[in-house]
């Protein structure tokens, strides 16, 4: 495609026949495809031959049609999360990157209410060029990270929490209003989008000849 | 009064004659009074004899009628802020506590985008029974503090920032949705309210015979 | 822990295997743990040996792993509610305090639409250093209380009501905008958070030597 | 008119020429007219002959063209307010009722943060068939009143307060979500609308032959 | 009671045991009681002897314990609705008034998208001292009515519609922002509250000796 | 242009130099241009030669560069408004249509709080193929119109009113949620957009050979 | 009817008996009727004779009572959609137009994230006098279309997407704020309303004698 | 600093003395500093020696203390905007990148209402590794771009527009809800943040050895 990677199929508002038709067409043409936000019920309701050609993962709610092979090299993307309630969003980001051939480094449950757990892992995180920071509720994790590491940080607000968490709206706003300079943000629970951004980063990185251009400060 | 301390006069939506009348009546009866959210323009427009009987502080936008004497003892309330843009809210809390005879410990500009600045001061903060944590934008400071110190933490969201900061709404929601257990919150920019809560704390503390009741964990 | 009491496990967005794993690990290490927002369905789905080691309470939706022993002394925390529809939030606060060894005084259904019911109980409430005030809809109860008693008041807005009650948002905003000085607030339906704040209060109270520092007014 | 009283002119978004034209036409036809939300600046900019024919009141921001004569009988409408910051809304309701020939009973600054001030005046309020209850911030006053008196209560939320008061939105929502049965509400700061509702009440009251129809309970 | 009629029990957030306990206590003391927002499921789950002592109405979702006898006189309250989707709110208002001994006049499905249907009924509506106007979506009905009839108009916004109707929020705001002078409003879907307001009106009406006080205009 | 008419210049967030540059370029190329939301201050600050080449209209806040000649034929677009506070939005729609050579029929101040004023003009309105309906606050006018006339109705919500009118948001939502079938809506205060929609209508109308295709009902 | 076509019955908040009654009455009087937002469950629960007299379409959730005959002529309305998740809204618009005797041209899945798919179809779309543009999420499709074709464009925001898509609110706001001149909008998911607007267009088109009135630019 | 570049000073809510103090301290220590959201009035009010040491730019509202030297190499960051009303946000991004030694490629006024203007520049944009896409109102530009170019796209919503544009909220939500895969977003009007993200990208790019890791698709 024009943008260097093919689009996934967002299944949430699609019917089973619609999904089946897309899967069938993909199998016969490009040969592989990623399906996101696919419930176990819908997956099970697909025609058996399509089910058989896909690998379903319940936690990330993704299905992969065709071959996937995580890259052989060391991971260049860290996925860091605040709590174990954020696990399915972490999984969606990881599954998407795996589909594109990228291995990832997961560092979970290091939210800032227990900041020492995060501090113990900072060097590990700082060694990664790209960091996907997943957090709900007050979502302070990406802000703190953006102040601690030079990596490119992509914040993913999650819909965990209740009341004033407002289904992820507070986490989203907090990341956007953050005083952590250069923090970028994607939609609530959008692990897929964060992974796509990471892919853009990796593909564009070799176009940059950083060393040639001096940076102030 | 019934609650152990007298109420301040919120001047924002009052006219100069209304404020003058209250000040005049207070001088003739109880003898002292705190005025909050009083603009320099309104203060200057009060009758000269009332102006003369009051001490105005521009940063906190407070005026005190009658005597004030910060207590002689060591401070038991810390006022911690994320950035220098929060200075007027810090000042309002400090002025209110001073009016009630309490000295305070100020620790400013230790927001979590530069978490190491906060970590250097943690022991000092942890030594205070009450901590007023003032922060705007993503307002991660009170959450981090509530996870680091055993003190009673009162969060004050501020209206600093722009766009998704939404005049303090994001900071407010982030504090409420926080995963820092036992963090309490007051209204946006309400330094006065946080100081009153601290006063309630100090007055009630001697009613508690903590030592007699064992705590689990 | 650093803050003097261990954190509870918020089960709402966790899967049964995640909860089982945490419970199992807690049993083998610290020996006790509080679980909140745990549905009866999820509790029943835990492995039998874990279920047997926990005591589940349907109204508060909490489960306790390990020993709990409410303190022997008289209660120092009152839990006051506006209506019987707020009962489950009252129960969560009570269960959390019981887990930490604190007995509580419950005073329910004294909302301000029938203010005489509240006025009959004011002296009783005023005798408690800490008051957790639970109310939904217009949530006037904490404001009225904060004007009547010198106690430290922690307001808990609840999601009762319909239409303009907006799932607790109106109660939350009303408490924050309240003219009752020194009223503090936690998240909607957050009985757990109010109880943790009460715990911070009780633990910090003996650090304060109130008598030594004179208070104005 | 069809509804028994003529409409006032809302001047806020009208230009001076538009207002002048309406005033001039009213003078030449019906002979009298009420103008609301008219700033002192706009009033002063009207043609001198129109200014001379109108009586302007700065606090209520109303002007009356033509004769006004408050009724000779005792007041049947009480206007009760929470704080002195609500004074201009109280004034607008009072001015409107005066324009329609009705005297009123004002009871100000009896908000529920100092509930004893309200309780001292309850009998006086309960003696009035109609009560206009004006309050901002958490706006608990109308709820408490609706539980204490049998009068017809019309709540007017005001835009006083800051932060979570949200320009009167919180007061409005709190009144609507109120558990005080039979409380009715008008728009934020709408003293005029509350007065018109009171006028409808007074005009319709003699159509009701209450004594003939027994009421349960 | 202090306010002239007894309060109903709002069952929505109460459990079956809570409702049973209140019903049982009411039967043994005051003898009668109204229950609102009671689902058919909850009603059926009450102990048989309580069910037998109550009359349940599915459309209004109300149950009455004890005797009800609509007054013998002609109705003085009209209940007017915009569409047939508003029928359950109309029914709640009617059931509440019937509980208090008042008959009502229903005029349904006369929303303003077909204004001629409304115009045919205007004289009938104008003959009633009190009009409860029930409407969802854009809720223009109460505004149009308030301009056409001198009656006291109580608007009840309903949660009908979708999208920008926002569960009744748009109808509520439209009524509050209405240019129909003297229109009063209650909460979304609050037929009970509108009926209570009508009861206040009827009870207070004989306190007013309207004839003695002349009205301008 | 591709769409049959050239775009206007929205001046609100442009600086005077930016506007001058566009005006100058337009004069030298296409020869004519419409400027909207241009304040009198900014217009006066333009270079004299540009000012001289433009005709400014204060009420609509528009300026026209180059020739304008309203069409000779009878108007085919009615602009109907609820109140005189909506006059500047009416003027913007009218000025835009005049710029495109269309005459219009204005029918102002016929809002539904006085529905008889509207009913007197219905036949006149129904004779126009396109109706631009301008209304603020509760904005019931377009709904009522859409039920009364077969014309194509374009609703323009306005920012008149206060409180729950929320700067036009309520009017906008009410129009969108309307039960008047086939009512279309543009942005708040967007008289320009409504006029452009009317232009699209007029240009496309002759492409339709309506008579050839029978319609049911 | 007055407006040239009969209204559909919105079934969402109606009970089965209510729908049955309307269908039965329609059959006996006008003979035909369109039902919208009718779930398959409700349709199946109607009396068999009514079911038999209606044709139900699951995707559009519509039922037609009586005859339908799409016009013989070429379609004059295009229905363009951004993604396959918008298919049910497309179907509702199509079904409504078919009920009124109009054939339509469907062009689906041409959202702007793959703009080249749209560009390939522009000439086809531009040949239609009326374009219904259906899109959710960021809803950029109608804006792009309004800049590319001279047709009358009616935007229908859909509730597809998650998080910041906010159930269609973002799509709605984006269309309203659009810089595409003359774009009109209907409620979220309101395919029915867009079709009614198209019907108004077609019926009014022959009233316009476009050729006689010259247009500038 | 830890993150590879020093933080700028956000001046909006700081007083002139606060800014002066920071500038003075910076001059004496690190020697250079960027100031953002600095009004011309505040800059002029700084002590003359500080003014003299800084270069102020009115359009971007930035001031630079100390040396700036845009890099000698070709630009690797494109700044693309929808309209000329977005110019000041474009300027802030450009000034920030210049401060860090980076040249940029500006491509302005290519919003999607005139999509052909954008299409003419696509190859130029696609040649840049990083694209900052600045747009207000419906903000469709970044979505379209993310579908057309493989570059890393950072969307900056702006507060241009009125009504439903809601000060940039609609643009922000539209970008977040976008179906353009891998689009990242920063706060409303936050040109500074987008530039910082671009800097993180450039600095991290040489850590990636893209060529070594094969990508699927
Ligand atoms: N989980 C996801 N979250 C957000 N966008 C997605 C997700 N999965 C797929 N998409 C995008 O959503 C769009 C789906 O388009 P369509 O399948 O035509 O409705 C594509 O642009 C995908 O890249
Ligand atoms: N009912 C509750 N409401 C709010 N916070 C809670 C509740 N129960 C536990 N928590 C806190 O939520 C956090 C849960 O973190 P985790 O279990 O890692 O997702 C901890 O900080 C707990 O103190
Ligand atoms: N359907 C209803 N809508 C609104 N308020 C109600 C309704 N039914 C009862 N109420 C009121 O809600 C309150 C219920 O209090 P409680 O039963 O103690 O929770 C009482 O003041 C009732 O008058
Ligand atoms: N799907 C729909 N969306 C919006 N309005 C509808 C829809 N179907 C019918 N309507 C309109 O909604 C109104 C329904 O009125 P009623 O059936 O009396 O509640 C009528 O004006 C219909 O034109
Ligand atoms: Mg955790
Ligand atoms: Mg700082
Ligand atoms: Mg009760
Ligand atoms: Mg007061
Ligand atoms: Mg109907
Ligand atoms: Mg008028
Ligand atoms: Mg697609
Ligand atoms: Mg442009």
């Amino acid at each position: 495609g024009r943008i260097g990677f093919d689009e996934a199929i967002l299944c949430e508002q699609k019917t089973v026949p619609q999904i089946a038709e897309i899967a069938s067409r993909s199998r016969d043409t490009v040969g592989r495809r990623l399906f996101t936000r696919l419930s176990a019920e819908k997956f099970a309701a697909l025609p058996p031959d399509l089910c058989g050609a896909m690998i379903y993962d319940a936690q990330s709610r993704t299905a992969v049609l065709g071959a996937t092979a995580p890259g052989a090299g060391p991971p260049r993307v860290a996925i860091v999360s605040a709590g174990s309630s954020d696990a399915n969003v972490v999984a969606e980001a990881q599954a998407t990157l795996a589909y594109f051939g990228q291995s990832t480094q997961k560092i979970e449950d290091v939210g800032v209410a227990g900041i020492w757990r995060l501090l113990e892992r900072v060097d590990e995180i700082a060694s990664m060029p790209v960091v996907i920071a997943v957090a709900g509720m007050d979502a302070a994790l990406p802000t703190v990270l953006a102040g601690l590491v030079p990596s490119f940080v992509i914040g993913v607000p999650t819909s965990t929490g209740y009341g004033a968490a407002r289904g992820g709206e507070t986490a989203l706003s907090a990341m956007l209003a953050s005083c952590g300079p250069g923090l970028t943000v994607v939609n609530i629970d959008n692990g897929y989008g964060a992974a796509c951004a990471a892919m853009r980063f990796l593909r564009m990185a070799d176009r940059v000849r950083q060393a040639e251009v001096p940076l102030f400060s």
Side-chain angles (χ1 to χ4, degrees), chain A:
Chain A
R2 278 165 183 77
I3 60 173
F5 52 90
D6 58 300
E7 284 187 49
I9 304 303
L10 173 62
C11 300
E12 198 157 60
Q13 276 124 341
K14 294 196 174 70
T15 59
V16 169
Q18 284 178 318
I19 298 165
E21 202 260 291
I22 295 170
S24 173
R25 191 160 20 96
S26 299
R27 187 181 45 187
D28 302 345
T29 55
V30 289
R32 60 194 303 265
R33 180 72 68 196
L34 177 66
F35 297 82
T36 65
R37 295 194 157 234
L38 178 61
S39 67
E41 289 72 31
K42 281 188 183 169
F43 178 71
L46 288 172
D49 63 317
L50 282 172
C51 272
M54 295 159 92
I55 296 175
Y56 184 72
D57 173 49
Q59 179 148 45
S60 62
R61 294 197 299 150
T62 58
V64 172
L65 174 84
T68 296
R76 291 161 307 173
V77 181
I79 309 179
V80 185
S81 79
S84 45
S85 300
D86 304 316
N88 51 350
V89 179
V90 168
E92 191 187 63
Q94 187 179 30
T96 302
L97 282 161
Y99 175 79
F100 290 127
Q102 298 296 322
S103 63
T104 45
Q105 174 75 7
K106 281 206 298 190
I107 299 172
E108 296 189 83
D109 206 15
V110 291
V112 300
I115 192 93
W116 56 92
R117 289 194 301 255
L118 177 62
L119 295 175
E120 287 165 9
R121 311 291 293 270
V122 162
D123 289 344
E124 187 181 354
I125 298 168
S127 73
M128 296 284 169
V130 182
V131 175
I132 295 174
V134 181
M137 299 172 176
D138 53 299
L141 176 65
T143 299
V144 172
L145 270 178
L148 281 174
V149 304
S151 315
F152 193 93
V153 186
I154 303 163
V156 189
T158 66
S159 55
T160 55
Y162 58 89
R166 288 184 199 106
E169 294 285 348
T170 293
L172 171 60
S173 297
M175 288 186 194
L176 288 163
S178 166
C179 44
L183 173 61
T184 59
V185 185
V186 297
N187 198 6
I188 297 165
D189 289 336
N190 194 2
Y192 165 74
C196 288
M199 285 308 298
R200 285 183 187 261
F201 183 100
L202 295 176
R203 292 190 72 96
M204 286 299 112
D206 62 356
R207 290 219 195 153
V208 181
R209 279 171 307 276
Q210 173 71 7
E212 295 174 20
V213 182
L215 285 162
F216 271 86
S217 78

